[in-house]
Amino acid sequence: MANLLVTGGAGFIGVNLVRWWKERNPDDALTVLDSLTYAGNANSLDGLVGTEGFEFIHGDIRDTDMVTDIISDKGIDVLVHLAAESHVDRSIEGPDAFIDTNVVGTHSLLKAARKVWFTNDRWAPHRFHHVSTDEVYGSLAMDDPAFNEETPYAPNSPYSASKAGSDHLVRAYHHTFGMEVTTTNCSNNYGGYQFPEKLIPLVLINTLHGKPLPIYGDGMNVRDWLHVSDHCRGIELAIRKGDPGETYCIGGRNEAPNIEIVKMICRLLGERFAADPELSSRFPECPAASGRDNQELITYVKDRPGHDRRYAIDPTKASSELGYEPEMTFESGIANTIDWYLANEPWWKAVTDGSYRDWIDTNYGARQS
Ligand code: NAD
Ligand code: DAU
Protein backbone atom coordinates (compact mmCIF):
# COMPACT_ATOMS: atom_id res chain seq x y z
CA MET A 1 0.00 0.00 0.00
CA ALA A 2 1.28 3.46 -0.95
CA ASN A 3 0.51 6.94 0.39
CA LEU A 4 0.30 9.29 -2.53
CA LEU A 5 0.29 13.07 -2.58
CA VAL A 6 -1.04 14.37 -5.91
CA THR A 7 -0.45 18.08 -6.50
CA GLY A 8 -2.80 19.76 -8.96
CA GLY A 9 -5.25 16.90 -8.42
CA ALA A 10 -8.28 19.16 -9.02
CA GLY A 11 -7.10 20.09 -12.53
CA PHE A 12 -7.72 18.26 -15.78
CA ILE A 13 -5.04 15.55 -15.75
CA GLY A 14 -4.90 15.41 -11.94
CA VAL A 15 -8.60 14.56 -11.62
CA ASN A 16 -8.31 11.91 -14.29
CA LEU A 17 -5.21 10.49 -12.60
CA VAL A 18 -6.69 10.23 -9.12
CA ARG A 19 -9.78 8.53 -10.54
CA TRP A 20 -7.56 6.20 -12.59
CA TRP A 21 -5.38 5.39 -9.60
CA LYS A 22 -8.20 4.82 -7.09
CA GLU A 23 -9.98 2.46 -9.47
CA ARG A 24 -6.88 0.31 -9.99
CA ASN A 25 -5.30 0.65 -6.54
CA PRO A 26 -8.21 0.89 -4.09
CA ASP A 27 -6.00 0.20 -1.07
CA ASP A 28 -3.67 3.15 -1.68
CA ALA A 29 -4.29 6.37 0.25
CA LEU A 30 -4.55 9.49 -1.90
CA THR A 31 -4.17 13.09 -0.79
CA VAL A 32 -4.81 15.85 -3.31
CA LEU A 33 -3.18 19.24 -2.76
CA ASP A 34 -4.55 21.99 -4.99
CA SER A 35 -4.88 25.75 -4.62
CA LEU A 36 -7.96 25.83 -6.91
CA THR A 37 -6.88 28.42 -9.44
CA TYR A 38 -9.34 29.16 -12.28
CA ALA A 39 -8.25 25.76 -13.72
CA GLY A 40 -8.89 23.71 -10.59
CA ASN A 41 -12.34 22.61 -9.54
CA ALA A 42 -13.13 20.75 -6.33
CA ASN A 43 -16.43 19.53 -7.87
CA SER A 44 -14.41 17.46 -10.30
CA LEU A 45 -13.53 15.28 -7.30
CA ASP A 46 -17.20 14.52 -6.52
CA GLY A 47 -17.61 10.92 -5.50
CA LEU A 48 -14.06 10.76 -4.10
CA VAL A 49 -14.11 13.41 -1.37
CA GLY A 50 -15.40 11.85 1.83
CA THR A 51 -14.48 8.31 0.83
CA GLU A 52 -12.07 6.10 2.74
CA GLY A 53 -8.44 6.73 1.83
CA PHE A 54 -9.02 10.02 0.02
CA GLU A 55 -8.46 13.57 1.21
CA PHE A 56 -8.56 16.94 -0.51
CA ILE A 57 -6.40 19.75 0.89
CA HIS A 58 -6.90 23.28 -0.38
CA GLY A 59 -3.40 24.76 -0.38
CA ASP A 60 -0.52 26.14 -2.40
CA ILE A 61 2.55 24.10 -3.33
CA ARG A 62 4.68 27.18 -2.61
CA ASP A 63 3.86 26.88 1.10
CA THR A 64 6.87 24.70 1.91
CA ASP A 65 6.08 24.35 5.63
CA MET A 66 2.56 23.17 4.91
CA VAL A 67 3.79 20.68 2.30
CA THR A 68 6.45 19.42 4.73
CA ASP A 69 3.75 18.81 7.35
CA ILE A 70 1.53 16.97 4.86
CA ILE A 71 4.32 14.66 3.70
CA SER A 72 5.40 13.99 7.26
CA ASP A 73 1.97 13.67 8.95
CA LYS A 74 0.48 11.46 6.26
CA GLY A 75 3.56 9.32 5.68
CA ILE A 76 3.59 10.22 1.99
CA ASP A 77 5.97 7.98 0.06
CA VAL A 78 4.94 8.83 -3.52
CA LEU A 79 4.56 12.45 -4.60
CA VAL A 80 3.04 12.96 -8.06
CA HIS A 81 3.51 16.55 -9.12
CA LEU A 82 1.02 17.98 -11.62
CA ALA A 83 0.22 21.41 -10.14
CA ALA A 84 1.10 24.08 -12.67
CA GLU A 85 0.01 27.02 -14.67
CA SER A 86 -0.57 25.15 -17.91
CA HIS A 87 -1.94 27.40 -20.66
CA VAL A 88 0.52 28.83 -23.21
CA ASP A 89 -1.67 31.84 -24.14
CA ARG A 90 -1.92 32.90 -20.50
CA SER A 91 1.87 32.62 -20.15
CA ILE A 92 2.23 35.08 -23.01
CA GLU A 93 -0.21 37.51 -21.41
CA GLY A 94 1.30 37.17 -17.91
CA PRO A 95 4.41 35.04 -17.36
CA ASP A 96 4.90 35.76 -13.62
CA ALA A 97 2.44 33.19 -12.30
CA PHE A 98 4.21 30.57 -14.42
CA ILE A 99 7.58 31.25 -12.82
CA ASP A 100 6.00 31.38 -9.36
CA THR A 101 4.10 28.10 -9.57
CA ASN A 102 6.06 26.04 -12.08
CA VAL A 103 9.60 26.93 -10.99
CA VAL A 104 9.37 28.21 -7.40
CA GLY A 105 6.47 25.86 -6.59
CA THR A 106 8.31 22.80 -7.87
CA HIS A 107 11.37 23.75 -5.85
CA SER A 108 9.20 24.18 -2.77
CA LEU A 109 7.96 20.59 -3.15
CA LEU A 110 11.48 19.24 -3.68
CA LYS A 111 12.72 21.02 -0.55
CA ALA A 112 9.80 19.76 1.54
CA ALA A 113 10.14 16.18 0.26
CA ARG A 114 13.90 16.12 0.89
CA LYS A 115 13.43 17.46 4.40
CA VAL A 116 11.05 14.63 5.32
CA TRP A 117 12.50 11.75 3.29
CA PHE A 118 16.20 12.35 4.04
CA THR A 119 16.99 12.07 7.73
CA ASN A 120 20.05 10.83 9.61
CA ASP A 121 21.95 10.62 6.33
CA ARG A 122 19.47 8.13 4.90
CA TRP A 123 16.64 8.28 2.43
CA ALA A 124 13.36 6.70 3.43
CA PRO A 125 11.70 4.72 0.58
CA HIS A 126 10.13 7.31 -1.71
CA ARG A 127 9.41 8.43 -5.26
CA PHE A 128 9.00 11.99 -6.61
CA HIS A 129 7.27 11.82 -9.99
CA HIS A 130 7.24 15.03 -12.02
CA VAL A 131 4.66 15.45 -14.80
CA SER A 132 6.07 17.54 -17.61
CA THR A 133 5.50 18.36 -21.24
CA ASP A 134 6.92 17.80 -24.71
CA GLU A 135 6.94 21.61 -25.17
CA VAL A 136 10.31 21.79 -23.37
CA TYR A 137 11.91 20.41 -26.54
CA GLY A 138 10.77 23.35 -28.69
CA SER A 139 9.37 23.12 -32.19
CA LEU A 140 9.90 20.53 -34.95
CA ALA A 141 10.01 21.05 -38.71
CA MET A 142 7.62 18.80 -40.63
CA ASP A 143 10.36 16.34 -41.63
CA ASP A 144 12.24 16.27 -38.29
CA PRO A 145 12.22 13.05 -36.28
CA ALA A 146 9.91 13.09 -33.25
CA PHE A 147 11.18 14.21 -29.82
CA ASN A 148 12.78 11.61 -27.60
CA GLU A 149 14.54 11.70 -24.23
CA GLU A 150 17.81 12.78 -25.90
CA THR A 151 16.35 15.81 -27.70
CA PRO A 152 18.04 18.99 -26.40
CA TYR A 153 15.80 21.37 -24.47
CA ALA A 154 14.73 24.47 -26.45
CA PRO A 155 11.62 25.92 -24.77
CA ASN A 156 10.00 28.78 -26.68
CA SER A 157 7.14 30.14 -24.53
CA PRO A 158 7.22 31.39 -20.94
CA TYR A 159 5.12 28.30 -20.12
CA SER A 160 7.55 25.81 -21.65
CA ALA A 161 10.56 27.69 -20.24
CA SER A 162 9.05 27.46 -16.75
CA LYS A 163 8.38 23.72 -17.21
CA ALA A 164 11.95 23.25 -18.47
CA GLY A 165 13.19 25.03 -15.35
CA SER A 166 11.16 22.68 -13.16
CA ASP A 167 12.46 19.62 -15.04
CA HIS A 168 16.04 20.76 -14.42
CA LEU A 169 15.41 21.26 -10.71
CA VAL A 170 13.95 17.77 -10.41
CA ARG A 171 16.95 16.34 -12.27
CA ALA A 172 19.36 18.30 -10.02
CA TYR A 173 17.74 16.95 -6.83
CA HIS A 174 18.44 13.45 -8.11
CA HIS A 175 21.98 14.13 -9.30
CA THR A 176 23.12 16.18 -6.30
CA PHE A 177 21.08 14.83 -3.40
CA GLY A 178 20.12 11.33 -4.54
CA MET A 179 16.36 11.88 -4.49
CA GLU A 180 14.53 9.14 -6.43
CA VAL A 181 12.80 11.07 -9.16
CA THR A 182 11.16 10.19 -12.46
CA THR A 183 9.84 12.61 -15.07
CA THR A 184 7.36 12.07 -17.90
CA ASN A 185 7.27 14.50 -20.83
CA CYS A 186 3.93 14.11 -22.50
CA SER A 187 2.23 15.42 -25.63
CA ASN A 188 -1.16 17.19 -25.89
CA ASN A 189 -3.86 15.56 -23.77
CA TYR A 190 -7.60 15.68 -24.31
CA GLY A 191 -10.59 14.13 -22.52
CA GLY A 192 -13.20 14.88 -19.85
CA TYR A 193 -12.66 17.60 -17.20
CA GLN A 194 -10.39 19.73 -19.44
CA PHE A 195 -10.89 23.46 -18.89
CA PRO A 196 -12.46 24.98 -22.02
CA GLU A 197 -9.57 27.27 -22.87
CA LYS A 198 -7.65 24.42 -24.55
CA LEU A 199 -8.32 23.71 -28.22
CA ILE A 200 -10.55 20.60 -28.08
CA PRO A 201 -13.02 21.58 -25.32
CA LEU A 202 -13.07 25.17 -26.57
CA VAL A 203 -14.05 24.05 -30.07
CA LEU A 204 -16.63 21.60 -28.74
CA ILE A 205 -18.37 24.15 -26.53
CA ASN A 206 -18.16 27.03 -29.02
CA THR A 207 -19.72 24.84 -31.69
CA LEU A 208 -22.62 23.98 -29.39
CA HIS A 209 -23.19 27.71 -28.83
CA GLY A 210 -22.77 28.75 -32.46
CA LYS A 211 -19.67 30.79 -31.54
CA PRO A 212 -16.62 31.33 -33.78
CA LEU A 213 -13.97 28.61 -33.72
CA PRO A 214 -10.71 30.58 -33.56
CA ILE A 215 -7.93 29.01 -35.64
CA TYR A 216 -4.55 30.55 -34.94
CA GLY A 217 -2.46 31.34 -38.02
CA ASP A 218 -2.95 28.95 -40.94
CA GLY A 219 -4.29 26.08 -38.80
CA MET A 220 -1.44 23.81 -39.92
CA ASN A 221 0.39 23.61 -36.59
CA VAL A 222 0.68 19.98 -35.61
CA ARG A 223 0.13 18.40 -32.20
CA ASP A 224 0.44 14.75 -31.11
CA TRP A 225 -2.90 14.07 -29.39
CA LEU A 226 -3.20 11.59 -26.52
CA HIS A 227 -6.30 10.65 -24.58
CA VAL A 228 -5.79 11.54 -20.92
CA SER A 229 -6.38 7.92 -19.82
CA ASP A 230 -3.29 6.87 -21.79
CA HIS A 231 -1.28 9.61 -20.09
CA CYS A 232 -2.45 8.26 -16.71
CA ARG A 233 -1.34 4.78 -17.79
CA GLY A 234 2.11 6.19 -18.67
CA ILE A 235 2.42 8.02 -15.34
CA GLU A 236 1.51 4.92 -13.35
CA LEU A 237 4.01 2.80 -15.31
CA ALA A 238 6.80 5.37 -14.81
CA ILE A 239 6.14 5.40 -11.05
CA ARG A 240 6.02 1.61 -10.77
CA LYS A 241 8.70 0.59 -13.26
CA GLY A 242 10.74 3.70 -14.06
CA ASP A 243 14.34 3.95 -12.91
CA PRO A 244 15.21 6.82 -10.57
CA GLY A 245 16.73 9.75 -12.47
CA GLU A 246 15.14 8.70 -15.78
CA THR A 247 12.77 10.61 -18.01
CA TYR A 248 10.17 9.04 -20.29
CA CYS A 249 8.47 10.56 -23.31
CA ILE A 250 4.76 9.71 -23.46
CA GLY A 251 2.76 10.28 -26.63
CA GLY A 252 -0.01 8.97 -28.81
CA ARG A 253 1.66 8.47 -32.21
CA ASN A 254 -1.22 10.58 -33.40
CA GLU A 255 -0.09 13.74 -35.14
CA ALA A 256 -2.63 16.03 -36.77
CA PRO A 257 -2.83 19.67 -37.88
CA ASN A 258 -5.19 21.79 -35.78
CA ILE A 259 -7.57 22.48 -38.65
CA GLU A 260 -8.12 18.74 -39.17
CA ILE A 261 -8.98 18.28 -35.50
CA VAL A 262 -11.43 21.17 -35.62
CA LYS A 263 -13.12 19.93 -38.79
CA MET A 264 -13.41 16.45 -37.31
CA ILE A 265 -15.14 17.80 -34.19
CA CYS A 266 -17.53 19.83 -36.39
CA ARG A 267 -18.38 16.72 -38.39
CA LEU A 268 -18.81 14.41 -35.39
CA LEU A 269 -21.03 16.92 -33.61
CA GLY A 270 -23.09 17.28 -36.81
CA GLU A 271 -23.60 13.50 -36.83
CA ARG A 272 -24.70 13.56 -33.17
CA PHE A 273 -27.28 16.26 -33.89
CA ALA A 274 -28.61 14.33 -36.87
CA ALA A 275 -29.02 11.21 -34.74
CA ASP A 276 -30.46 12.87 -31.63
CA PRO A 277 -33.13 15.59 -32.10
CA GLU A 278 -32.99 16.47 -28.39
CA LEU A 279 -29.57 18.08 -28.97
CA SER A 280 -31.15 20.67 -31.27
CA SER A 281 -33.47 21.77 -28.46
CA ARG A 282 -30.62 21.86 -25.95
CA PHE A 283 -28.28 23.82 -28.24
CA PRO A 284 -30.44 25.72 -30.77
CA GLU A 285 -27.57 28.05 -31.79
CA CYS A 286 -25.39 25.21 -33.02
CA PRO A 287 -25.43 25.36 -36.85
CA ALA A 288 -26.26 21.64 -36.95
CA ALA A 289 -29.48 22.36 -35.01
CA SER A 290 -30.84 24.04 -38.15
CA GLY A 291 -29.31 21.56 -40.57
CA ARG A 292 -26.24 23.70 -41.38
CA ASP A 293 -22.57 22.69 -41.46
CA ASN A 294 -20.77 23.43 -38.18
CA GLN A 295 -17.66 24.32 -40.18
CA GLU A 296 -19.24 27.69 -40.99
CA LEU A 297 -18.00 28.75 -37.52
CA ILE A 298 -14.32 28.28 -38.42
CA THR A 299 -12.61 31.67 -38.13
CA TYR A 300 -8.93 32.20 -38.88
CA VAL A 301 -7.44 34.66 -36.36
CA LYS A 302 -4.09 36.24 -35.57
CA ASP A 303 -1.39 33.69 -34.77
CA ARG A 304 -0.16 32.98 -31.25
CA PRO A 305 3.18 34.82 -30.76
CA GLY A 306 6.08 32.34 -31.00
CA HIS A 307 3.63 29.57 -31.96
CA ASP A 308 5.49 26.22 -32.07
CA ARG A 309 4.89 24.60 -35.44
CA ARG A 310 4.96 20.93 -34.60
CA TYR A 311 5.25 18.61 -31.60
CA ALA A 312 5.61 14.84 -31.90
CA ILE A 313 6.72 12.21 -29.41
CA ASP A 314 8.69 9.04 -30.03
CA PRO A 315 7.62 6.82 -27.10
CA THR A 316 10.07 3.98 -27.89
CA LYS A 317 11.85 4.15 -24.52
CA ALA A 318 8.60 4.15 -22.52
CA SER A 319 7.38 1.31 -24.66
CA SER A 320 10.47 -0.90 -24.34
CA GLU A 321 11.37 -0.10 -20.71
CA LEU A 322 7.94 0.41 -19.14
CA GLY A 323 5.65 -1.55 -21.45
CA TYR A 324 3.75 1.65 -22.26
CA GLU A 325 1.39 1.65 -25.25
CA PRO A 326 -1.50 4.05 -25.82
CA GLU A 327 -4.78 2.12 -25.91
CA MET A 328 -7.23 4.72 -27.22
CA THR A 329 -7.29 5.54 -30.92
CA PHE A 330 -8.04 9.18 -31.69
CA GLU A 331 -11.42 8.10 -33.13
CA SER A 332 -12.48 6.35 -29.92
CA GLY A 333 -10.92 9.02 -27.68
CA ILE A 334 -12.63 11.95 -29.37
CA ALA A 335 -15.99 10.12 -29.45
CA ASN A 336 -15.61 9.44 -25.74
CA THR A 337 -14.71 13.10 -25.12
CA ILE A 338 -17.70 14.43 -27.09
CA ASP A 339 -19.95 12.10 -25.06
CA TRP A 340 -18.40 13.41 -21.85
CA TYR A 341 -18.98 17.09 -22.66
CA LEU A 342 -22.54 16.45 -23.86
CA ALA A 343 -23.30 14.53 -20.65
CA ASN A 344 -21.59 17.02 -18.33
CA GLU A 345 -22.94 20.42 -19.32
CA PRO A 346 -23.34 21.48 -15.63
CA TRP A 347 -19.60 20.86 -15.12
CA TRP A 348 -18.42 23.12 -17.93
CA LYS A 349 -21.03 25.77 -17.14
CA ALA A 350 -19.85 25.81 -13.51
CA VAL A 351 -16.13 26.04 -14.29
CA THR A 352 -16.76 29.14 -16.34
CA ASP A 353 -18.62 30.73 -13.41
CA GLY A 354 -22.02 30.25 -14.94
CA SER A 355 -21.29 33.20 -17.24
CA TYR A 356 -19.84 31.23 -20.10
CA ARG A 357 -20.87 33.62 -22.82
CA ASP A 358 -19.34 36.75 -21.24
CA TRP A 359 -16.21 34.81 -20.45
CA ILE A 360 -15.77 33.53 -23.97
CA ASP A 361 -16.46 36.96 -25.47
CA THR A 362 -13.91 38.61 -23.20
CA ASN A 363 -11.25 36.02 -23.81
CA TYR A 364 -11.68 35.21 -27.44
CA GLY A 365 -13.67 38.09 -28.93
CA ALA A 366 -10.56 40.26 -29.05
CA ARG A 367 -8.64 37.71 -31.04
CA GLN A 368 -10.71 38.09 -34.20
CA SER A 369 -8.57 39.50 -37.00
P1 NAD B 1 -4.63 22.31 -15.40
O1 NAD B 1 -4.31 23.76 -15.66
O2 NAD B 1 -5.92 21.76 -15.87
O3 NAD B 1 -4.54 22.02 -13.83
C1 NAD B 1 -3.52 22.52 -13.03
C2 NAD B 1 -3.96 22.36 -11.58
O4 NAD B 1 -2.90 22.87 -10.74
C3 NAD B 1 -5.22 23.13 -11.22
O5 NAD B 1 -6.09 22.32 -10.48
C4 NAD B 1 -4.71 24.28 -10.36
O6 NAD B 1 -5.65 24.73 -9.40
C5 NAD B 1 -3.48 23.66 -9.70
N1 NAD B 1 -2.50 24.66 -9.28
C6 NAD B 1 -2.00 25.68 -10.02
N2 NAD B 1 -1.14 26.40 -9.29
C7 NAD B 1 -1.07 25.80 -8.06
C8 NAD B 1 -0.34 26.06 -6.87
N3 NAD B 1 0.51 27.10 -6.78
N4 NAD B 1 -0.50 25.24 -5.80
C9 NAD B 1 -1.35 24.18 -5.87
N5 NAD B 1 -2.09 23.89 -6.98
C10 NAD B 1 -1.94 24.69 -8.05
O7 NAD B 1 -3.41 21.53 -16.00
P2 NAD B 1 -3.37 20.08 -16.68
O8 NAD B 1 -3.64 20.22 -18.11
O9 NAD B 1 -4.14 19.14 -15.84
O10 NAD B 1 -1.80 19.76 -16.54
C11 NAD B 1 -1.30 19.10 -15.38
C12 NAD B 1 0.21 18.95 -15.52
O11 NAD B 1 0.50 18.20 -16.69
C13 NAD B 1 0.95 20.29 -15.68
O12 NAD B 1 2.14 20.20 -14.96
C14 NAD B 1 1.21 20.39 -17.17
O13 NAD B 1 2.38 21.14 -17.42
C15 NAD B 1 1.40 18.93 -17.53
N6 NAD B 1 1.05 18.55 -18.92
C16 NAD B 1 -0.15 18.90 -19.44
C17 NAD B 1 -0.47 18.48 -20.74
C18 NAD B 1 -1.80 18.82 -21.37
O14 NAD B 1 -1.98 18.56 -22.56
N7 NAD B 1 -2.77 19.36 -20.65
C19 NAD B 1 0.45 17.72 -21.47
C20 NAD B 1 1.69 17.41 -20.89
C21 NAD B 1 1.97 17.81 -19.59
O1 DAU C 1 2.14 19.63 -25.73
C1 DAU C 1 1.70 19.55 -24.42
C2 DAU C 1 1.03 20.85 -24.04
O2 DAU C 1 -0.22 20.88 -24.71
C3 DAU C 1 0.85 21.04 -22.55
O3 DAU C 1 2.10 21.11 -21.94
C4 DAU C 1 0.06 22.32 -22.25
O4 DAU C 1 -0.20 22.42 -20.87
C5 DAU C 1 -1.26 22.26 -23.01
O5 DAU C 1 -1.95 23.48 -22.83
C6 DAU C 1 -1.02 22.02 -24.50
O6 DAU C 1 -0.39 23.18 -25.12
P1 DAU C 1 -0.84 23.71 -26.57
O7 DAU C 1 -0.50 25.14 -26.65
O8 DAU C 1 -0.36 22.80 -27.63
O9 DAU C 1 -2.44 23.48 -26.42
P2 DAU C 1 -3.69 24.39 -26.81
O10 DAU C 1 -4.92 23.57 -26.62
O11 DAU C 1 -3.65 25.75 -26.20
O12 DAU C 1 -3.48 24.59 -28.39
C7 DAU C 1 -3.39 23.47 -29.27
C8 DAU C 1 -3.11 24.00 -30.66
O13 DAU C 1 -4.28 24.70 -31.14
C9 DAU C 1 -1.99 25.03 -30.72
O14 DAU C 1 -1.30 24.88 -31.94
C10 DAU C 1 -2.70 26.38 -30.69
C11 DAU C 1 -4.00 26.08 -31.41
N1 DAU C 1 -5.18 26.85 -30.96
C12 DAU C 1 -5.48 26.86 -29.64
C13 DAU C 1 -6.59 27.53 -29.17
C14 DAU C 1 -6.90 27.57 -27.70
C15 DAU C 1 -5.99 27.48 -31.89
O15 DAU C 1 -5.73 27.45 -33.12
N2 DAU C 1 -7.10 28.14 -31.44
C16 DAU C 1 -7.43 28.20 -30.11
O16 DAU C 1 -8.45 28.86 -29.76
Side-chain angles (χ1 to χ4, degrees):
M1 183 191 141
N3 278 316
L4 276 79
L5 176 62
V6 181
T7 71
F12 163 48
I13 300 170
V15 162
N16 280 285
L17 180 71
V18 295
R19 291 183 180 284
W20 167 280
W21 199 283
K22 215 45 192 159
E23 235 177 86
R24 286 158 184 80
N25 308 283
D27 294 337
D28 287 352
L30 283 177
T31 302
V32 163
L33 172 64
D34 198 296
S35 64
L36 299 181
T37 66
Y38 76 95
N41 184 355
N43 294 337
S44 305
L45 295 167
D46 278 357
L48 282 170
V49 176
T51 61
E52 178 82 19
F54 184 88
E55 190 178 345
F56 172 69
I57 298 175
H58 183 198
D60 197 307
I61 57 168
R62 289 168 297 175
D63 186 341
T64 314
D65 290 341
M66 180 202 57
V67 177
T68 307
D69 287 346
I70 294 172
I71 298 174
S72 167
D73 295 350
K74 297 193 169 297
I76 299 296
D77 50 6
V78 179
L79 194 159
V80 194
H81 175 34
L82 297 105
E85 288 293 336
S86 70
H87 192 44
V88 174
D89 291 333
R90 288 181 192 254
S91 84
I92 295 167
E93 277 154 31
D96 295 64
F98 288 73
I99 308 306
D100 288 347
T101 286
N102 300 359
V103 182
V104 179
T106 299
H107 189 229
S108 165
L109 294 175
L110 288 163
K111 279 192 294 185
R114 178 169 171 244
K115 194 167 174 186
V116 180
W117 290 338
F118 188 72
T119 49
N120 303 324
D121 272 351
R122 294 190 52 178
W123 284 99
H126 68 277
R127 172 63 60 96
F128 187 111
H129 182 77
H130 177 54
V131 177
S132 192
T133 170
D134 59 358
E135 299 202 12
V136 297
Y137 299 120
S139 183
L140 293 168
M142 289 305 159
D143 52 357
D144 282 342
F147 302 131
N148 65 31
E149 293 76 8
E150 305 304 318
T151 307
Y153 273 39
N156 288 320
S157 71
Y159 163 68
S160 52
S162 68
K163 290 297 290 186
S166 66
D167 293 9
H168 292 322
L169 284 166
V170 170
R171 178 190 148 88
Y173 265 64
H174 173 71
H175 188 83
T176 304
F177 302 121
M179 186 181 284
E180 299 204 346
V181 304
T182 35
T183 296
T184 39
N185 293 87
C186 187
S187 61
N188 284 64
N189 284 213
Y190 67 97
Y193 296 107
Q194 187 168 31
F195 191 81
E197 64 185 351
K198 307 281 165 68
L199 182 71
I200 288 182
L202 175 82
V203 164
L204 258 168
I205 294 174
N206 275 19
T207 306
L208 294 174
H209 288 296
K211 289 277 187 181
L213 309 179
I215 310 292
Y216 299 169
D218 63 3
M220 291 307 290
N221 299 68
V222 170
R223 297 293 183 263
D224 181 354
W225 295 97
L226 182 74
H227 190 266
V228 64
S229 58
D230 281 321
H231 188 187
C232 295
R233 176 191 326 287
I235 292 171
E236 180 170 11
L237 283 167
I239 292 169
R240 294 202 181 285
K241 297 188 176 174
D243 285 331
E246 291 298 318
T247 67
Y248 300 92
C249 283
I250 306 288
R253 292 197 186 90
N254 181 55
E255 291 183 55
N258 296 335
I259 189 66
E260 260 182 35
I261 299 289
V262 173
K263 285 184 176 169
M264 186 172 179
I265 295 171
C266 287
R267 181 175 53 77
L268 291 173
L269 272 178
E271 289 170 10
R272 299 296 171 99
F273 274 66
D276 178 2
E278 199 205 314
L279 287 176
S280 299
S281 353
R282 280 175 65 195
F283 305 106
E285 286 149 304
C286 179
S290 39
R292 304 196 318 274
D293 187 343
N294 290 330
Q295 288 190 34
E296 71 181 45
L297 299 173
I298 290 176
T299 310
Y300 286 88
V301 299
K302 226 168 65 188
D303 208 355
R304 171 187 279 175
H307 197 175
D308 285 337
R309 192 62 173 168
R310 174 178 165 238
Y311 304 142
I313 283 279
D314 171 1
T316 304
K317 177 179 172 185
S319 169
S320 59
E321 294 185 16
L322 306 178
Y324 165 78
E325 282 304 327
E327 288 187 359
M328 280 259 196
T329 60
F330 190 69
E331 288 65 30
S332 56
I334 197 73
N336 169 295
T337 304
I338 291 175
D339 288 343
W340 193 91
Y341 280 89
L342 289 175
N344 289 280
E345 188 181 352
W347 181 89
W348 47 263
K349 283 220 160 114
V351 299
T352 51
D353 257 0
S355 55
Y356 179 73
R357 280 156 177 279
D358 296 344
W359 180 86
I360 212 81
D361 288 342
T362 312
N363 285 275
Y364 294 99
R367 286 190 187 283
Q368 310 287 321
S369 51

